[in-house]
């Protein structure tokens, strides 16, 4: 699906270290601002223990996970909306992503310079949000000028509707509110999607802390959680440095390390899964002797839409889907046993795909 989650934050908050750990790549991560200039893109497997279990029961030759792309976008600074710190370039990179992981520094370290001289998560978040709002206001103002000319010259009703909508949105943004909190009806929602507004994208916070913060928490993490609670946003707490260490260990060593840290899974798994959830995605599977594969679809997708993720011909020529849920397969041990229990179904075009469905599509083109 080409789903992208952009990693943003001030310089020196640990974005590139987090990106390296997520993607097991090694882009430059140094103690000075604007180390990252061009965005780095990494494709990350979405961890899902169900996939291996399905593959094992199907005796598949190959197992292929679904993926999500993370984009490491260079650190924003105050004035980015006006071009400070190459801000316009960075903001245009954010415009392309589907959701945002906002990394916030939640640790003290005299050796890692904070761009504002002191660690203050609330102030850091405000700087980023302000710059994104200012850039959205610029976008809205330019569009309003174009609509106003059309509405006046030709009495264009659609242009008048667009102008009125933008005028309300402009007032909302001018009050310091993010676009995603702008109340809209269905028609306005369709219109606003075309602008790709920076502050209309779903956001999660990644509180990057040190080892002590992971084990005991700290006031910085609490500040991020308080802000997220007001916004109804998710917070994932990680130590990017520890995640880098985990990523370089062999599987057996990794399990021992996680156990010693009191962690059930790497923090990165929580970041990936939170990004997946943030984007409103779910997973269905196809499985057979040749391969078992996970596929990403939007929640509430119909069976033909899910088939279209595999190939557009599957959607165009959709006839029906044969469906069982992975939990029924795990419980009964085989497809034939699921069929015997009457839990293997044939579904038509109206069927809404559920997370964990195992599907086989019939189509004719």
């Amino acid at each position: 699906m080409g789903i992208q989650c952009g990693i943003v934050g001030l310089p020196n908050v640990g974005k590139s270290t987090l990106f390296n750990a997520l993607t097991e790549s090694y882009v430059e991560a140094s103690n000075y601002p604007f180390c990252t200039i061009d965005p780095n893109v990494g494709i990350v497997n979405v961890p899902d223990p169900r996939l291996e279990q399905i593959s094992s029961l199907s005796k598949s030759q190959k197992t292929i996970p679904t993926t999500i792309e993370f984009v490491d976008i260079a650190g924003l600074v105050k004035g980015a909306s006006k071009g400070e710190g190459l801000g316009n370039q960075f903001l245009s990179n954010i415009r392309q992503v589907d959701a945002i992981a906002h990394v916030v520094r939640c640790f003290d370290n005299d050796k890692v310079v904070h761009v504002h001289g002191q660690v203050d998560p609330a102030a850091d978040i405000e700087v980023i949000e302000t710059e994104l709002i200012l850039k959205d206001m610029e976008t809205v103002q330019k569009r309003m000028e174009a609509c106003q000319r059309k509405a006046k010259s030709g009495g264009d009703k659609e242009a008048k509707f667009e102008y009125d909508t933008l005028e309300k949105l402009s007032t909302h943004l001018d009050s310091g509110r993010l676009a995603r909190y702008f109340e809209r009806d269905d028609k306005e929602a369709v219109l606003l999607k075309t602008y790709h507004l920076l502050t209309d994208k779903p956001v999660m916070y990644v509180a990057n802390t040190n080892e002590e913060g992971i084990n005991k928490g700290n006031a910085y993490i609490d500040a991020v959680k308080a802000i997220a609670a007001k916004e109804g946003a998710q917070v994932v707490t990680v130590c990017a440095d520890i995640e880098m260490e985990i990523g370089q260990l062999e599987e057996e060593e990794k399990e021992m390390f996680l156990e010693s840290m009191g962690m059930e899974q790497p923090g990165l798994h929580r970041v990936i899964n939170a990004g997946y959830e943030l984007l409103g995605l779910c997973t269905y599977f196809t499985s057979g002797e040749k391969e078992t594969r996970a596929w990403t679809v939007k929640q509430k997708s119909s069976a033909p839409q899910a088939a279209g993720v595999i190939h557009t011909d599957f959607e165009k020529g959709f006839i029906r889907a044969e469906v069982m849920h992975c939990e029924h397969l795990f419980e009964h041990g085989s497809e034939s046993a699921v069929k015997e229990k009457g839990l293997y179904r044939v579904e038509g075009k109206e069927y809404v795909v559920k997370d964990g469905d195992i599907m086989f599509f019939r189509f004719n083109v």
Side-chain angles (χ1 to χ4, degrees):
M1 290 180 68
I3 297 295
Q4 287 192 331
C5 185
I7 303 175
V8 306
L10 291 173
N12 294 351
V13 298
K15 292 184 301 79
S16 292
T17 304
L18 180 69
F19 177 84
N20 285 339
L22 275 167
T23 61
E24 295 183 359
S25 57
Y26 298 96
V27 301
E28 192 170 5
S30 300
N31 179 25
Y32 58 88
F34 313 119
C35 170
T36 307
I37 296 177
D38 295 317
N40 300 294
V41 180
I43 299 175
V44 179
N45 292 339
V46 176
D48 192 332
R50 299 174 300 182
L51 181 64
E52 288 293 343
Q53 199 171 350
I54 294 168
S55 184
S56 175
L57 289 169
S58 297
K59 298 180 173 58
S60 300
Q61 296 169 25
K62 288 197 297 183
T63 305
I64 305 173
T66 190
T67 60
I68 184 172
E69 288 185 10
F70 281 89
V71 185
D72 179 24
I73 296 165
L76 294 170
V77 294
K78 192 172 183 179
S81 60
K82 304 300 180 186
E84 291 294 326
L86 301 179
N88 283 325
Q89 178 184 339
F90 300 160
L91 289 167
S92 68
N93 293 331
I94 299 171
R95 199 176 297 284
Q96 307 307 314
V97 302
D98 302 290
I100 294 172
H102 185 163
V103 182
V104 186
R105 178 169 169 170
C106 294
F107 62 89
D108 290 310
N109 188 336
D110 294 337
K111 294 179 180 178
V112 181
V113 179
H114 189 286
V115 71
H116 295 149
Q118 63 178 8
V119 179
D120 185 341
D124 292 354
I125 290 170
E126 185 178 358
V127 167
I128 299 293
E129 290 187 345
T130 298
E131 294 307 319
L132 299 184
I133 288 171
L134 290 171
K135 196 65 180 177
D136 278 349
M137 287 177 68
E138 182 184 307
T139 299
V140 168
Q141 288 299 322
K142 285 179 180 176
R143 188 62 199 162
M144 283 178 72
E145 290 169 13
C147 291
Q148 193 171 32
R149 288 194 297 271
K150 281 186 184 178
K152 283 185 176 179
S153 62
D156 188 323
K157 289 184 179 179
E158 285 301 313
K160 175 73 165 58
F161 167 76
E162 185 172 1
Y163 181 85
D164 291 344
T165 303
L166 289 168
E167 189 173 39
K168 289 187 291 184
L169 177 58
S170 179
T171 301
H172 174 90
L173 291 169
D174 197 40
S175 70
R177 297 279 289 157
L178 305 174
R180 63 179 175 273
Y181 302 125
F182 176 69
E183 292 187 12
R184 64 202 79 178
D185 61 27
D186 291 344
K187 188 176 179 182
E188 289 169 338
V190 171
L191 177 65
L192 262 57
K193 273 187 179 179
T194 65
Y195 302 137
H196 303 288
L197 296 172
L198 304 176
T199 64
D200 208 24
K201 298 179 186 296
V203 172
M204 68 173 171
Y205 294 103
V206 180
N208 184 26
T209 188
N210 50 23
E211 185 174 335
E212 186 177 356
I214 287 289
N215 293 325
K216 299 179 181 178
N218 60 40
Y220 300 141
I221 299 169
D222 292 341
V224 176
K225 287 181 176 178
I227 292 168
K230 290 179 183 177
E231 298 179 2
Q234 293 188 65
V235 180
V236 181
T237 303
V238 301
C239 175
D241 288 337
I242 288 177
E243 298 300 328
M244 277 289 289
E245 285 184 49
I246 293 172
Q248 295 173 44
L249 296 174
E250 297 295 330
E251 201 58 41
E252 189 175 331
E253 294 175 316
K254 191 180 293 185
E255 290 178 11
M256 291 173 61
F257 184 86
L258 288 171
E259 189 176 338
S260 70
M261 292 292 297
M263 298 166 64
E264 292 183 7
Q265 60 179 347
L268 294 182
H269 285 194
R270 289 183 286 112
V271 174
I272 296 166
N273 287 326
Y276 204 68
E277 185 179 331
L278 184 68
L279 288 161
L281 306 174
C282 69
T283 301
Y284 79 87
F285 306 93
T286 54
S287 187
E289 288 185 12
K290 186 177 179 182
E291 68 174 35
T292 291
R293 183 163 183 166
W295 301 89
T296 299
V297 291
K298 287 282 186 183
Q299 292 173 9
K300 300 181 181 178
S301 291
S302 67
Q305 288 170 330
V309 173
I310 300 175
H311 198 287
T312 53
D313 284 350
F314 282 31
E315 183 172 5
K316 289 175 186 174
F318 180 89
I319 298 172
R320 65 180 182 271
E322 298 173 13
V323 187
M324 63 176 168
H325 198 272
C326 67
E327 293 300 330
H328 293 145
L329 177 64
F330 300 156
E331 181 181 355
H332 300 292
S334 70
E335 182 181 306
S336 58
V338 172
K339 287 178 177 177
E340 285 175 13
K341 295 292 182 181
L343 298 170
Y344 192 93
R345 311 180 312 278
V346 175
E347 301 286 358
K349 292 182 178 180
E350 304 303 316
Y351 179 70
V352 176
V353 177
K354 296 177 180 60
D355 184 70
D357 276 348
I358 303 172
M359 309 186 75
F360 178 78
F361 298 105
R362 301 284 184 183
F363 71 101
N364 182 32
V365 178

